[in-house]
């Protein structure tokens, strides 16, 4: 049995990641998923991360929550699908943490890479597609 491929789409909010991930997954008959929130546990973590009433979440705690989501995601969705020969298409991946928590929150990028490498068991995406869009279009879509 051949191993599937792990493909992720990255980019700013409003660039079309969700739309294109769904189209690609459909075309490839792949498992479609997302980070954060691709599992039931991940959805609970996503709720915390997106809760606007949570105003004192430290940047390190945010990074660790995203790594926890990612660990669950790899173990529950990504790895089993790949082992069974299915492709996986994900709306976001570990690279979002490097961008948002590393560069955006100014946490040490090497530490973010190390924590997440452990969380994903070094199962990095086989292909990352970076989507870009002009700021006006992204703002209109959001």
């Amino acid at each position: 049995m051949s191993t599937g491929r792990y493909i992720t789409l990255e980019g700013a909010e409003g660039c079309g990641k969700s739309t294109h991930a769904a189209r690609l997954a459909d075309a490839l008959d792949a498992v479609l998923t997302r980070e954060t929130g691709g599992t039931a546990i991940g959805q609970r973590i996503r709720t915390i991360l997106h809760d606007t009433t949570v105003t004192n979440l430290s940047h390190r705690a945010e990074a660790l929550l995203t790594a926890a989501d990612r660990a669950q995601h790899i173990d529950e969705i990504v790895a089993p699908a790949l082992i069974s020969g299915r492709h996986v298409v994900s709306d976001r991946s570990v690279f979002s943490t490097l961008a948002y928590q590393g560069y955006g929150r100014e946490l040490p990028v090497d530490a973010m890479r190390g924590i997440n490498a452990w969380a994903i068991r070094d199962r990095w995406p086989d292909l990352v597609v970076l989507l870009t869009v002009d700021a006006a279009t992204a703002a209109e879509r959001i």
Side-chain angles (χ1 to χ4, degrees):
M1 183 176 295
S2 66
T3 303
R5 298 290 183 246
Y6 180 25
I7 304 165
T8 65
L9 281 74
E10 295 283 355
E13 294 299 321
C15 73
K17 288 180 305 300
S18 299
T19 300
H20 291 295
R23 289 176 177 167
L24 180 59
D26 186 54
L28 296 175
D29 189 30
V31 173
L32 175 64
T33 189
R34 71 174 184 183
E35 291 185 8
T36 55
T39 66
I41 291 169
Q43 188 56 50
R44 294 177 79 178
I45 293 169
R46 182 181 177 88
T47 299
I48 295 167
L49 292 170
H50 291 266
D51 184 343
T52 58
T53 66
V54 176
T55 59
N56 61 344
L57 184 64
S58 79
H59 294 166
R60 290 185 337 273
E62 178 185 74
L64 291 168
L65 284 168
T66 61
D69 169 79
R70 192 159 288 120
Q72 187 69 29
H73 188 244
I74 289 290
D75 288 353
E76 188 176 328
I77 304 290
V78 177
L82 296 175
I83 290 167
S84 75
R86 300 268 326 263
H87 298 308
V88 175
V89 176
S90 183
D91 177 345
R92 294 204 184 278
S93 71
V94 64
F95 293 100
S96 287
T97 285
L98 299 180
Y100 283 96
Q101 282 74 40
Y103 294 101
R105 300 289 194 210
E106 298 181 350
L107 296 174
V109 175
D110 286 341
M112 295 300 93
R113 189 176 290 114
I115 289 165
N116 281 278
W118 177 73
I120 64 173
R121 300 176 188 253
D122 275 325
R123 184 55 182 99
W124 296 82
D126 296 304
L127 175 66
V128 179
V129 178
L130 176 62
L131 300 177
T132 60
V133 66
D134 62 90
T137 302
E140 182 180 304
R141 290 176 179 172
I142 293 171

